Amino acid sequence: VYREAYGDEIRTRRFLDQYRGKGESDPLMPSRDIRNITGATLSARAVGRAVKKAIAVLEVIGDTPGEPESTPAPSARRPEGGTARVREAHYVMGTMLEITLDAPSEETGRACLRRAVGEARRLDAELSSFRGDSALSELNRRAGMGPQPVPADLFRVLEQSTELSAASGGTFDVTVAPLVRLWQRAGHDGRWPSAAEIAEAWRNVGYERIRMQPPDEIELPAHATLELGGIGKGYAVDRMVEMLRRSGVKSALINFGGSSIAALGPPAEESGWPVWVEYGAILRGPMILRDMALSTSDSLGEDGRVAGHRVGHIVDPRTGKALENAAQATVLAPSATEAEAWSKALLVDPLLARRAMATRPWISALLFAGSRALADARFAARSGWKPSRQ
């Protein structure tokens, strides 16, 4: 289930040799260890992280004498309560979507699971800015042309996005794409953007410039561009949870690329679903989720260098500057959409975001910055995990 839809087995020894003799903490440098890769479906960094996790597991469990060299893993197992547990992973929205659920039978479980995957694919076709035929791309093309009718899900996710932008003081903003693209071009050209370039791109940013008329009309000003990469997976997770709940599923875990996770109920005879968060090549947890969503964002998760400076893929919509300080935020919330937005806001302006979140008792957060881990009291109470260093 983890194989790409296109391609073949790895044939180049050089690609395999880069992993030999390396442990979990050893870095992999795509520019040095991984060469001549262009247009890969999965990023080299993601592949490297997955391999290092596998190495770490093997180092812990070692070899078990007397056991067969390989034992086929069943596609479904039967947990407590006489139900079948099924799990599948699919490549959707440019990342891995993993769903685990308990159902009366394997056949019923797989049918429910694949309907949820189908919903994620449908939303990808509607909300992706990387697909020229998506509803979002069409809306962007019609910026400055007056009110435009849009599908219900696009209207709903943008309605939620503008509400969250206002609540976060503009630290989360789906109109930030012109600034993000400016910094991407700067990284490609190897030069720092000028103040004039930042100001020009910043003029096309601002969630308050979006005009929405229920039930289905949205108007964008000329040159505005919407990008839902910071919230789209969360919205898709919420829709999948709704679909599974309507199908009668009472226990499920949806993991969308590791950055957006939602738990539906607890597993049978357990208090919740165990989830680990990776920070600094160490897995932190387990955090126990039950009828709750979790989102994790990293300020330098897809970092690069611009004129000798290390910068991340997140840009402050209020200033037009790319983030330069390493930090990671994990947010617990009733919905994955909300958790996604606040995890970005925390990285952009931790103090402002924490003050705003203090008025929302249903949200809790954990912030890593260097060797420090800062969690509010609600986070420990809800997840069952408390960082060792405050």
Side-chain angles (χ1 to χ4, degrees):
V1 294
Y2 283 101
R3 291 186 63 182
E4 298 182 67
Y6 303 96
D8 209 332
E9 301 296 337
I10 297 173
R11 293 188 295 251
T12 304
R13 297 299 308 175
R14 184 175 60 191
F15 186 88
L16 299 174
D17 288 343
Q18 67 188 307
Y19 294 107
R20 299 190 182 279
K22 294 194 175 183
E24 178 191 9
S25 60
D26 291 320
L28 293 172
M29 303 298 294
S31 60
R32 185 183 66 208
D33 294 328
I34 302 174
R35 302 174 185 273
N36 302 323
I37 295 179
T38 58
T41 306
L42 294 176
S43 75
R45 286 188 177 89
V47 173
R49 285 196 300 268
V51 173
K52 288 198 290 182
K53 288 178 183 177
I55 291 172
V57 171
L58 291 173
E59 287 178 344
V60 171
I61 64 175
D63 295 326
T64 306
E67 293 292 329
E69 290 187 2
S70 62
T71 303
S75 60
R77 72 176 182 85
R78 193 164 296 277
E80 298 295 330
T83 59
R85 174 162 296 174
V86 297
R87 176 188 174 277
E88 289 184 5
H90 296 259
Y91 191 70
V92 187
M93 290 188 179
T95 189
M96 296 307 300
L97 166 62
E98 301 179 39
I99 302 179
T100 305
L101 60 82
D102 296 337
S105 67
E106 180 179 352
E107 182 180 8
T108 299
R110 294 212 182 275
C112 293
L113 188 153
R114 289 173 183 173
R115 281 197 296 272
V117 173
E119 176 69 356
R121 295 193 188 281
R122 182 187 71 80
L123 290 171
D124 184 28
E126 185 173 314
L127 306 180
S128 173
S129 62
F130 297 98
R131 300 176 58 139
D133 60 346
S134 71
L136 178 62
S137 293
E138 180 64 19
L139 178 62
N140 284 334
R141 282 192 292 268
R142 293 182 173 275
M145 298 183 185
Q148 304 294 323
V150 298
D153 284 295
L154 179 54
F155 187 92
R156 191 176 301 119
V157 70
L158 288 176
E159 187 175 47
Q160 293 180 36
S161 296
T162 54
E163 292 172 354
L164 290 165
S165 294
S168 66
T171 50
F172 169 78
D173 194 329
V174 293
T175 68
V176 76
L179 287 167
V180 173
R181 292 174 183 175
L182 171 64
W183 284 94
Q184 289 173 340
R185 290 195 301 270
H188 182 269
D189 297 340
R191 64 178 184 83
W192 198 261
S194 67
E197 289 175 311
I198 293 175
E200 182 180 358
W202 186 77
R203 280 197 293 269
N204 298 317
V205 175
Y207 69 92
E208 66 279 354
R209 301 164 71 231
I210 303 174
R211 298 288 179 262
M212 307 189 70
Q213 181 61 48
D216 64 353
E217 285 191 345
I218 297 177
E219 181 178 2
L220 301 182
H223 310 299
T225 304
L226 302 180
E227 169 57 58
L228 296 175
I231 199 171
K233 289 201 303 292
Y235 180 81
V237 167
D238 290 337
R239 294 288 295 125
M240 285 186 278
V241 168
E242 292 176 18
M243 178 170 286
L244 292 175
R245 186 178 283 116
R246 289 198 304 268
S247 298
V249 175
K250 293 181 172 56
S251 178
L253 183 72
I254 299 174
N255 181 349
F256 213 159
S259 63
S260 191
I261 300 173
L264 174 58
E269 309 297 328
E270 297 181 37
S271 59
W273 291 90
V275 172
W276 284 259
V277 172
E278 183 180 12
Y279 178 71
I282 299 175
L283 295 178
R284 317 294 174 118
M287 302 171 190
I288 306 302
L289 302 188
R290 173 176 180 166
D291 291 320
M292 189 186 311
L294 176 151
S295 174
T296 297
S297 296
D298 191 332
S299 62
L300 302 181
E302 299 175 12
D303 67 298
R305 289 196 174 272
V306 178
H309 294 263
R310 187 185 183 196
V311 298
H313 63 294
I314 296 179
V315 177
D316 187 338
R318 306 163 304 169
T319 66
K321 303 292 183 63
L323 302 189
E324 298 183 65
N325 297 322
Q328 181 173 300
T330 295
V331 173
L332 295 175
S335 78
T337 305
E338 197 167 18
E340 285 262 23
W342 285 106
S343 67
K344 311 301 186 300
L346 266 171
L347 295 176
V348 171
D349 192 330
L351 293 178
L352 177 60
R354 289 172 76 91
R355 283 199 299 268
M357 291 168 57
T359 65
R360 292 164 172 78
W362 57 91
I363 303 174
S364 51
L366 167 67
L367 182 65
F368 289 105
S371 62
R372 301 178 66 204
L374 305 173
D376 57 46
R378 296 190 297 262
F379 188 92
R382 288 171 181 157
S383 68
W385 184 80
K386 184 178 181 180
S388 57
R389 301 184 69 175
Q390 295 289 337

